[in-house]
Amino acid sequence: STFCAVNVGLMRFGVKSYLQFLFSNLAFRLDLFLIALYLPTEQAAFYSVAVSLAELAWLLPDSAGIVLYPHLTNTPVEEVGEKTARVLRSVVSLTVLCVIALLVVGPLFLPLVYGQPYRQSVPPFLALLPGIINMSIYKVLARHFTSLSQQKFSILASGSGLLLIILMDLWLIPIFGILGAAFV
């Protein structure tokens, strides 16, 4: 009886974690599929390169989240918020610095490494950078809510974000191309 109750609890936790992961990853990647649907293939290549370079700034929040999660699960509930807030302040500050560095280096790097045709990747790359900072917040807070078994907040945020992204991409990609996708 206790074994079944534990398994049911683990299954619920796993399903919620899976939904959180699924929605957020669809939100991160769906724009590329829609670009491939609406635009010529080379536009998908330009956008993919812009996203890949911009996402380098996510290495820090991803790493912090991986380290933070097990630490929070072993922290008294009343201290979890304060620890998350401290980590979040550091992560956002360092992510802003990474984004500033990418802002300087990226426009030079893309055409230099990939060739002059990839200069078309620069405007969407620049448009993606503010969203990278915003998503660094989500990446840390999702670990916070998971540590408290409150994935419903992350699921709600990523699910509503996914819906908004779909609607905005369907509207902006046909009009503005890869730049429209980057603004979303």
Coordinates of all heavy atoms in Angstrom, one line a residue, residues 30-41 44 170 173-174:
L30 N 9.7 25.8 -31.5 CA 8.6 25.8 -32.5 C 8.7 26.8 -33.6 O 8.4 26.6 -34.7 CB 7.2 26.0 -31.8 CG 6.0 25.8 -32.6 CD1 5.9 24.4 -33.1 CD2 4.8 26.2 -31.9
D31 N 9.4 27.9 -33.3 CA 9.5 29.0 -34.3 C 10.3 28.5 -35.5 O 10.1 28.8 -36.6 CB 10.2 30.2 -33.7 CG 11.4 30.0 -32.9 OD1 11.8 28.8 -32.7 OD2 12.0 30.9 -32.3
L32 N 11.3 27.6 -35.2 CA 12.1 27.1 -36.3 C 11.3 26.2 -37.3 O 11.4 26.3 -38.5 CB 13.3 26.3 -35.8 CG 14.3 25.9 -36.8 CD1 14.9 27.1 -37.6 CD2 15.5 25.2 -36.2
F33 N 10.4 25.5 -36.7 CA 9.5 24.6 -37.5 C 8.6 25.5 -38.4 O 8.3 25.3 -39.5 CB 8.7 23.7 -36.7 CG 9.5 22.6 -36.1 CD1 9.7 22.6 -34.7 CD2 10.1 21.6 -36.8 CE1 10.5 21.6 -34.1 CE2 10.8 20.6 -36.3 CZ 11.1 20.6 -34.9
L34 N 8.1 26.6 -37.8 CA 7.2 27.5 -38.5 C 7.9 28.3 -39.6 O 7.4 28.5 -40.6 CB 6.4 28.4 -37.5 CG 5.5 27.7 -36.6 CD1 4.9 28.7 -35.5 CD2 4.3 27.1 -37.4
I35 N 9.2 28.6 -39.3 CA 10.0 29.3 -40.3 C 10.2 28.4 -41.5 O 10.0 28.8 -42.6 CB 11.3 29.7 -39.7 CG1 11.1 30.9 -38.8 CG2 12.3 30.0 -40.8 CD1 12.3 31.3 -38.0
A36 N 10.5 27.1 -41.2 CA 10.7 26.1 -42.3 C 9.4 25.9 -43.1 O 9.4 25.6 -44.3 CB 11.2 24.8 -41.7
L37 N 8.2 26.1 -42.4 CA 7.0 25.9 -43.1 C 6.6 27.1 -44.0 O 6.2 26.9 -45.1 CB 5.9 25.8 -42.0 CG 4.4 25.6 -42.6 CD1 4.3 24.2 -43.3 CD2 3.4 25.7 -41.4
Y38 N 6.9 28.3 -43.5 CA 6.5 29.5 -44.3 C 7.6 30.1 -45.2 O 7.3 30.9 -46.1 CB 6.1 30.6 -43.3 CG 4.8 30.4 -42.6 CD1 4.6 30.1 -41.3 CD2 3.6 30.6 -43.4 CE1 3.4 29.9 -40.7 CE2 2.4 30.4 -42.8 CZ 2.3 30.1 -41.5 OH 1.0 29.9 -41.0
L39 N 8.9 29.9 -44.9 CA 9.9 30.6 -45.5 C 10.9 29.7 -46.3 O 10.9 28.5 -46.0 CB 10.7 31.4 -44.5 CG 10.0 32.5 -43.7 CD1 10.9 33.1 -42.7 CD2 9.3 33.5 -44.6
P40 N 11.7 30.2 -47.2 CA 12.7 29.4 -47.9 C 13.7 28.7 -46.9 O 13.9 29.3 -45.8 CB 13.4 30.3 -48.8 CG 12.5 31.5 -49.0 CD 11.7 31.6 -47.7
T41 N 14.2 27.6 -47.3 CA 15.1 26.8 -46.4 C 16.3 27.6 -45.9 O 16.7 27.5 -44.7 CB 15.6 25.6 -47.2 OG1 14.5 24.9 -47.7 CG2 16.5 24.7 -46.3
A44 N 15.6 29.4 -42.7 CA 15.7 28.6 -41.5 C 17.1 28.4 -41.0 O 17.4 28.4 -39.8 CB 15.0 27.2 -41.8
L170 N 2.6 32.7 -35.9 CA 1.7 32.6 -37.1 C 1.4 34.0 -37.7 O 1.2 34.1 -38.9 CB 0.5 31.8 -36.7 CG 0.6 30.4 -36.4 CD1 -0.6 29.8 -35.8 CD2 1.1 29.6 -37.6
I173 N 5.7 35.8 -38.5 CA 6.7 35.2 -39.5 C 6.3 35.4 -40.9 O 7.1 35.8 -41.7 CB 6.8 33.7 -39.2 CG1 7.6 33.5 -37.9 CG2 7.6 33.0 -40.4 CD1 7.7 32.0 -37.4
P174 N 5.0 35.3 -41.3 CA 4.7 35.6 -42.7 C 4.9 37.1 -43.1 O 5.2 37.4 -44.2 CB 3.2 35.3 -42.8 CG 2.9 34.3 -41.7 CD 3.9 34.7 -40.6

